[in-house]
């Protein structure tokens, strides 16, 4: 028995030695090193190194709730609106021998209902998608917006970014309310040269489409046009131009005046930044164009259209200039600042920002549902007798002040004024051509008609937009606030039919003028007005992180 036990122990020991020798011959698998996220202080707070690279990344965002009450003049208008918004920012930076290489992306997702928050402007710009229900149509917008996606390197900026023409750009307002340019998202390629001592200059080639506003079309030839073509994709914008046939007799051709994208906008800016604030002067050149004749020429009084020739509307170039000043006022309270800005342009409404409140990308708008009158908002009018584009003129001035009552309480006040005008001869000629073509019921009646002076089309107007806010920040990056706005639209001269008291009645219905008042068939006197106004109240809860 002892012999057997000794043999078993010896065999086990031998196996242990052999196994140990074999194990020693096998390679040892080491654990992979752990990649730790490291703080990157080179580019400011909040950046960290992307593991395995020398690129620093900052992730940030925003969550917002907003509600609005808006005055309306009819029961068909909405009074309240609500919006939820989520934002994600990605900021990637790498130090190179040429300076910092930066890529920035910002994405906004929103869901808004009601006035202004279900934005028609966003839909026209392709960043909002409407609901289709009976009660939700025109009241709900699901917004998806690539707000920023640009690269900055060695002085160049390329991608989707804010226009270099802009300065104040409604920085102290809940949304763009005051008059002034604010194109926060456009496609561009720019170069900025820095001269030292705070001076810099930028030349930018920018996407022209988001600066275009329709050319006025009189909707002759049985065509209809709406600035909001979500469900009428085949709709056109036409205006008549008078030409001649082979015998020298007058004919009419309808020209398509929907603008095409042919040339980029060219923007230049000179800027100065210092401890006391900043200043900027900017300028832009903007192409305004028209298309070809649409359809067969139409005869006047039975004249032949053989050999018909009409002057094609020539391309014109709108332009705008702007000056802005920002003054820091820590001597009043830490964080206080003042903005002053003014702009002037021809054929460039979206550069002067005259339509900031009324809405962009549409040819006609009013302050609110059921207001007494609306106004034309176009970059140009085709004179049907000369075939030339008659550019509109607009200018705006804006002031905004931010004051801190205490570190957690602040207020902003802002005010703006602007004027817009159109060529008198082109307006009269359009009415004349509509008459001889037999379209006396169009939006602009004959200049010889009694109602011509009471039409709201292509009228010279002015606007006042002002507001104030109070914001409480109980903790850092949390804002709880309220803002009130007032807007007034008025004619520079004359009066128009009051659409609130006589809805749907156009100037073409006027058959006579008695004591300065328009009269319709049967002797009824139409009410008139020369100004309209409205107000809004907004509240917001917003967290940035």
């Amino acid at each position: 028995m002892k012999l057997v036990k000794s043999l078993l122990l010896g065999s086990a020991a031998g196996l242990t030695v052999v196994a140990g020798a074999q194990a020693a011959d096998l390679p040892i698998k080491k654990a992979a090193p752990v990649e730790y996220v490291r703080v990157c202080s080179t580019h400011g707070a909040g950046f960290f190194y992307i593991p395995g690279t020398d690129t620093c990344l900052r992730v940030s965002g925003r969550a917002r709730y907003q509600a609005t009450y808006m005055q309306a003049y009819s029961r068909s208008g909405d009074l309240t609106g609500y919006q939820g918004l989520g934002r994600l920012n990605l900021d990637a930076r790498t130090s190179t021998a040429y300076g910092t290489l930066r890529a920035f992306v910002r994405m906004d997702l929103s869901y808004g209902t009601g006035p202004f928050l279900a934005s028609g402007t966003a839909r026209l710009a392709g960043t909002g998608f409407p609901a289709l229900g009976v009660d939700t149509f025109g009241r709900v917008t699901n917004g998806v917006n690539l707000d920023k996606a640009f690269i900055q390197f060695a002085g160049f900026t390329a991608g989707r970014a804010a226009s270099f023409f802009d300065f104040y750009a409604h920085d102290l307002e809940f949304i763009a309310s005051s008059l002034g340019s604010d194109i926060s998202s456009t496609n561009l390629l720019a170069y900025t040269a820095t001269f030292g001592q705070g001076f810099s200059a930028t030349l930018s080639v920018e996407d022209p489409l988001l600066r275009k506003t329709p050319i006025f079309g009189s909707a002759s030839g049985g065509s209809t046009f709406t600035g909001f073509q979500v469900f009428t994709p085949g709709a056109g914008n036409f205006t008549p131009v008078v030409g001649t046939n082979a015998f020298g007799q007058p004919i009419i051709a309808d020209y398509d005046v929907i603008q095409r994208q042919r040339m980029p906008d060219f923007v230049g800016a000179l800027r100065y930044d210092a401890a006391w604030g900043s200043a900027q002067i900017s300028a832009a050149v903007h192409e305004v164009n028209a298309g070809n004749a649409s359809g067969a020429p139409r005869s006047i009084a039975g004249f032949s259209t053989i050999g018909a020739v009409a002057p094609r509307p020539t391309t014109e170039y709108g332009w705008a200039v702007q000056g802005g000043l920002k003054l820091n006022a820590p001597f009043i309270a830490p964080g206080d600042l003042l903005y002053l800005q003014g702009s002037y342009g021809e054929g460039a409404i979206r550069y002067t920002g005259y339509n900031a409140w009324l809405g962009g990308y549409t040819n006609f708008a009013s302050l609110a549902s059921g207001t007494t009158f609306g106004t034309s908002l176009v970059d140009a009018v085709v004179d049907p007798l000369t075939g030339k584009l008659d550019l509109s003129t607009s200018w705006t001035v804006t002031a905004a002040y931010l004051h801190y009552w205490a570190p957690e309480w602040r207020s902003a006040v802002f005010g703006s004024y602007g004027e817009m005008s159109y060529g008198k001869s082109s307006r009269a000629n359009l009415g004349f051509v509509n008459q001889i073509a037999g379209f006396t019921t169009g939006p602009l009646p004959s200049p010889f008609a009694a109602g011509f002076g009471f039409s709201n089309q292509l009228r010279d107007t002015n606007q006042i937009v002002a507001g104030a806010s109070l914001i409480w920040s109980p903790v850092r990056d949390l804002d709880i606030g309220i803002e009130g706005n007032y807007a007034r639209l008025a004619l520079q001269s004359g009066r128009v039919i009051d659409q609130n008291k006589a809805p749907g009645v156009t100037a073409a219905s006027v058959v006579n003028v008695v004591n300065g008042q328009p009269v319709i068939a049967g002797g009824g006197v139409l009410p008139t007005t020369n100004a309209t106004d409205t107000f809004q109240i907004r509240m917001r809860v917003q967290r940035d992180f």
Side-chain angles (χ1 to χ4, degrees):
M1 187 57 128
K2 289 182 179 181
L3 179 60
V4 173
K5 185 176 181 181
S6 299
L7 290 173
L8 290 173
L9 291 173
S11 299
L15 290 173
T16 301
V17 172
V18 172
Q22 291 177 342
D25 294 336
L26 293 176
I28 299 175
K29 186 176 182 181
K30 296 182 179 180
V34 177
E35 288 279 2
Y36 293 97
V37 175
R38 295 180 294 131
V39 173
C40 174
S41 58
T42 305
H43 304 289
F47 285 88
F48 60 88
Y49 284 100
I50 299 175
T53 74
D54 58 355
T55 297
C56 298
L57 177 67
R58 185 176 187 269
V59 179
S60 60
R62 169 179 293 174
R64 174 197 293 169
Y65 167 79
Q66 185 165 289
T68 297
Y69 174 85
M70 180 176 181
Q71 180 188 24
Y73 289 81
S74 69
R75 294 185 63 86
S76 62
D78 296 321
L79 298 179
T80 60
Y82 312 90
Q83 183 196 55
L85 179 140
R87 169 175 289 179
L88 176 64
N89 302 318
L90 300 174
D91 191 349
R93 305 188 190 189
T94 306
S95 297
T96 74
Y98 301 93
T100 300
L101 168 61
R102 184 190 185 198
F104 183 83
V105 176
R106 171 179 291 168
M107 294 166 284
D108 284 341
L109 299 176
S110 65
Y111 196 88
T113 67
F116 273 64
L117 297 182
S119 172
T121 298
R123 297 173 191 172
L124 292 172
T127 60
F129 306 91
L132 305 180
V134 173
D135 296 317
T136 58
F137 181 83
R139 293 183 173 89
V140 177
T141 294
N142 197 358
V144 180
N145 184 25
L146 179 63
D147 184 62
K148 301 285 187 295
F150 62 81
I151 299 165
Q152 289 180 317
F153 179 65
F156 287 94
T157 301
R160 187 163 172 80
S163 171
F164 280 93
F165 181 86
D166 294 346
F167 183 70
Y168 167 56
H170 307 99
D171 291 348
L172 306 182
E173 304 165 31
F174 280 18
I175 64 172
S177 298
S178 64
L179 307 179
S181 178
D182 186 0
I183 305 296
S184 61
S185 305
T186 190
N187 305 311
L188 56 81
L189 175 62
Y191 178 76
T192 300
T194 303
F195 305 116
Q197 304 299 317
F199 286 98
S200 63
T202 300
L203 291 176
S204 181
V205 179
E206 301 189 359
D207 192 333
L209 197 61
L210 296 182
R211 293 287 192 177
K212 289 187 182 296
T213 296
I215 296 174
F216 183 84
S218 64
S220 65
S223 302
T224 57
F225 167 71
T226 170
F228 186 68
Q229 299 190 57
V230 174
F231 296 101
T232 54
N237 190 20
F238 301 96
T239 198
V241 175
V242 174
T244 58
N245 61 14
F247 310 102
Q249 299 166 330
I251 54 91
I252 287 183
D254 288 311
Y255 272 88
D256 172 4
V257 290
I258 295 177
Q259 297 185 71
R260 270 60 177 184
Q261 189 160 264
R262 295 170 180 163
M263 290 287 292
D265 285 3
F266 297 95
V267 172
L270 179 63
R271 186 180 178 97
Y272 176 71
D273 294 284
W276 56 262
S278 57
Q280 178 175 295
I281 298 174
S282 53
V285 178
H286 171 71
E287 183 192 36
V288 183
N289 59 59
N292 296 320
S294 179
R298 293 179 288 113
S299 65
I300 299 176
F303 292 145
S304 169
T305 59
I306 296 176
V309 177
R312 175 178 174 175
T314 57
T315 295
E316 297 289 343
Y317 290 91
W319 57 273
V321 292
Q322 178 176 267
L325 180 67
K326 176 186 176 183
L327 297 172
N328 298 324
F331 49 88
I332 298 177
D336 279 27
L337 55 89
L338 170 69
Y339 278 103
L340 299 173
Q341 179 175 278
S343 61
Y344 177 89
E346 295 184 5
I349 307 173
R350 288 196 63 81
Y351 277 102
T352 63
Y354 185 82
N355 57 356
W357 175 287
L358 292 165
Y361 315 113
T362 183
N363 64 338
F364 191 89
S366 59
L367 289 178
S369 175
T371 51
T372 55
F373 74 96
T375 185
S376 299
L377 297 169
V378 297
D379 280 336
V381 177
V382 176
D383 188 319
L385 298 185
T386 65
K388 294 183 178 180
L389 287 169
D390 189 359
L391 301 180
S392 61
T393 299
S394 59
W395 62 269
T396 61
V397 290
T398 304
Y401 182 75
L402 176 66
H403 174 63
Y404 278 82
W405 304 98
E408 67 275 10
W409 288 93
R410 68 185 187 273
S411 290
V413 292
F414 55 89
S416 58
Y417 176 81
E419 295 183 1
M420 184 168 184
S421 59
Y422 297 97
K424 302 298 184 293
S425 61
S426 57
R427 181 177 189 269
N429 290 342
L430 275 168
F432 172 72
V433 171
N434 282 339
Q435 180 191 36
I436 63 176
F439 299 100
T440 56
T441 59
L444 193 62
S446 164
F448 308 112
F452 181 77
F454 297 96
S455 170
N456 56 9
Q457 300 288 331
L458 301 177
R459 296 295 293 271
D460 297 350
T461 57
N462 63 70
Q463 278 190 85
I464 297 173
V465 180
S469 64
L470 178 64
I471 300 174
W472 176 47
S473 298
V475 298
R476 183 179 178 182
D477 296 328
L478 173 64
D479 291 343
I480 302 171
I482 187 169
E483 180 183 81
N485 294 338
Y486 170 80
R488 181 179 185 271
L489 174 67
L491 298 175
Q492 291 288 80
S493 62
R495 301 180 70 83
V496 295
I497 297 171
D498 189 332
Q499 292 295 311
N500 180 255
K501 297 179 181 178
V505 179
T506 67
S509 302
V510 178
V511 297
N512 197 7
V513 178
V514 178
N515 296 324
Q517 296 295 313
V519 177
I520 60 175
V525 177
L526 292 174
T528 62
T529 184
N530 65 353
T532 184
D533 59 6
T534 188
F535 70 89
Q536 286 188 25
I537 298 175
R538 302 189 185 98
M539 69 84 59
R540 170 182 290 180
V541 180
Q542 179 174 293
R543 167 72 195 280
D544 290 296
F545 57 89

